[in-house]
Amino acid sequence: MRSTEGQLRSTRSRILAGLVACWLVVALASGGAVAGVAADVGYQDADAACSSDAATSEFSMLLLLQNGDVVGPGETVELYPGTEARVVFCGGSGEEPAGDAWTLADAEELSIEGSGEYHYTVRTGDVAFEGDIATFEEQREGVEGPTLTIVTPQRTTLSYLDDPVTLRFVTGSDNGGPIAEELAAYNRSLTDAARIRTTLSEAANSSSPTGADGNVTAASKTRRDLNAAGENLSGALFVAAQNGTAGAAQGFVRHEAHHERTLAALDASVERYLAAAQAEARTARLTAIGALLGSFLLFGAVGGGIGQWIAKRDLESIRRERRRRSSVEYGWSDLKKAFAIAALGVIAGTVLSVLLGSTLLEVLL
Amino acid sequence: MKRPDRPAHQFAIAIALGSAAVVAVLLFLPLTAGSDPASRLATAKAAVSLADQLPLLVGVGAGFGLAAGSVIGGLRAYHQEVEDR
């Protein structure tokens, strides 16, 4: 049953991993994350951007994002430090040449990385900023642009991974981040699982595994809790990756693999402990069989001798009696003394079996 | 031609040894051993606990052995007596 569950989990994991593959590519390639945006489909053309609804005024400065979004006047965008974007200027008749019809100032908040015919490529600086990007335009008057907010991301690291992954996110209503609760619960489960594994390992290596503190019921509960916590964290990472949290997609994939390995390691610990306990039980069974059968055969031989001797004595007296009176016949009742000894033996054996109690039944059945 | 009956004590020996063999097999291979970890551990603990009560086990074997032996011995003596008659 566990193997079927494992196969289902494995299949589901592969599907989920496939679904987030695109986000993983984006997250790894872009380095910085755009709040509320996940997929990187490339910049829009300056021409198309100026023809879009984002160009709301006659002199609009537009911010083009790597995911294809176009942010225009009246809109607000939050970007992490180090995020790359393009700035275009739309005049009355469409896009206007960069560095000629308009010029963007190189600033700490928005540094110029390069330029094209109709755009500047900019990168947000590692400073707190909130303002209209039109303020960076140097030549023209009456230009309107979107409001840019540079936000400092919070970080959460999946430190339990062999190769830890750090998630970056903007603190909102959930101050601990999008996976805070799930991560804390999973870390607690990992601690419990590690403790159980240590206990089981010590018990398996002890001289008497069955007498050691190897609680497989607690191990089963810990496995269930660990599995639930791991599933919850997977779900939270998946949603975070969907929402564009940097590092979440990579964290999801590595967490899934780590979670599978952790469950397998816990199962292996339980199996090792049970194997050690069963090896001890096998020796105990052989000892019990030896004691029971040995005494049965030994006392069987003794009982046989006694029974035969007593019966023979009684039968000889019957034989003598038959010589005197021909009406005397042999019968099973002539063995009553031997049968009486047998009855005593059965009673003694039964009483001692009862004293062994449920242990004997538990082993036999 | 009618086959001569086997002596009763031979049947008794066969029954005694057969029963002992069945008990030995059951002791080594439990009939209803569960597959979940908890029941596997419980069965293992019961086996170890049983082996810890060796004097009682020896007593059980001795009691039933004595019973079987005296019946067999009695039957054998009866058979010899009747044969010698």
Side-chain angles (χ1 to χ4, degrees), chain A residues 77 93 144 187 213 243 297:
Chain A
V77 62
S93 57
E144 293 178 36
N187 278 328
D213 183 25
N243 292 334
L297 293 175

Side-chain angles (χ1 to χ4, degrees), chain A residues 37-38 72 79 89 194 227 289 356:
Chain A
V37 177
L79 298 179
F89 180 78
N227 196 28
I289 290 169
L356 278 172

Side-chain angles (χ1 to χ4, degrees), chain A residues 4-17 260:
Chain A
T4 310
E5 183 193 338
Q7 284 172 352
L8 285 172
R9 269 187 53 78
S10 178
T11 307
R12 204 172 66 86
S13 298
R14 277 197 291 274
I15 292 169
L16 287 174
E260 293 288 339

Side-chain angles (χ1 to χ4, degrees), chain A residues 89-348:
Chain A
F89 180 78
C90 308
S93 57
E95 74 275 21
E96 296 197 2
D100 186 10
W102 61 288
T103 311
L104 199 66
D106 190 17
E108 190 184 5
E109 296 87 352
L110 207 60
S111 61
I112 295 175
E113 298 279 305
S115 62
E117 193 177 354
Y118 293 104
H119 71 266
Y120 283 98
T121 301
V122 295
R123 189 174 295 280
T124 52
D126 194 7
V127 291
F129 174 76
E130 181 168 5
D132 192 334
I133 66 164
T135 56
F136 298 106
E137 207 287 317
E138 292 180 320
Q139 287 188 35
R140 309 287 285 263
E141 294 292 327
V143 178
E144 293 178 36
T147 300
L148 168 66
T149 303
I150 299 176
V151 291
T152 305
Q154 299 292 311
R155 288 177 164 80
T156 291
T157 302
L158 306 181
S159 53
Y160 57 87
L161 296 173
D162 298 332
D163 189 5
V165 172
T166 297
L167 275 66
R168 292 182 300 159
F169 55 88
V170 182
T171 49
S173 56
D174 49 349
N175 285 336
I179 61 162
E181 277 181 31
E182 292 83 358
L183 181 59
Y186 189 63
N187 278 328
R188 280 196 298 276
S189 292
L190 282 178
T191 307
D192 291 345
R195 197 182 62 247
I196 287 281
R197 285 184 59 196
T198 304
T199 307
L200 289 174
S201 176
E202 286 172 357
N205 293 328
S206 70
S207 57
S208 174
T210 56
D213 183 25
N215 192 339
V216 292
T217 308
S220 298
K221 183 184 180 307
T222 302
R223 190 190 191 282
R224 281 197 302 275
D225 293 346
L226 177 67
N227 196 28
E231 293 278 349
N232 289 342
L233 181 54
S234 286
L237 284 167
F238 186 84
V239 172
Q242 230 174 357
N243 292 334
T245 302
Q250 190 180 36
F252 171 84
V253 173
R254 289 194 192 167
H255 164 75
E256 284 280 297
H258 176 272
H259 184 53
E260 293 288 339
R261 285 199 305 274
T262 307
L263 288 177
L266 185 56
D267 291 343
S269 293
V270 172
E271 281 304 316
R272 268 199 302 276
Y273 170 66
L274 286 176
Q278 285 176 322
E280 185 190 5
R282 202 172 302 119
T283 308
R285 285 176 191 280
L286 289 173
T287 305
I289 290 169
L292 201 58
L293 286 192
S295 58
F296 179 80
L297 293 175
L298 181 67
F299 279 83
V302 171
I306 294 172
Q308 188 171 7
W309 176 69
I310 291 174
K312 206 167 192 172
R313 218 181 48 173
D314 290 347
L315 289 167
E316 277 172 1
S317 70
I318 300 288
R319 190 193 300 171
R320 286 194 295 272
E321 189 68 20
R322 276 167 61 87
R323 286 184 191 136
R324 288 198 294 273
R325 291 187 295 144
S326 60
S327 60
V328 175
E329 286 291 333
Y330 289 107
W332 293 115
S333 61
D334 303 332
L335 302 176
K336 57 180 176 291
K337 287 180 185 169
F339 288 160
I341 293 172
L344 286 177
V346 168
I347 290 168

Side-chain angles (χ1 to χ4, degrees), chain A residues 210 285 300 304 308 319 330 342 365, chain B residues 27 32 45 65 67 69 76 81:
Chain A
T210 56
R285 285 176 191 280
Q308 188 171 7
R319 190 193 300 171
Y330 289 107
L365 303 177
Chain B
L27 274 175
T32 56
K45 280 185 172 176
R76 186 160 184 269
E81 182 65 28

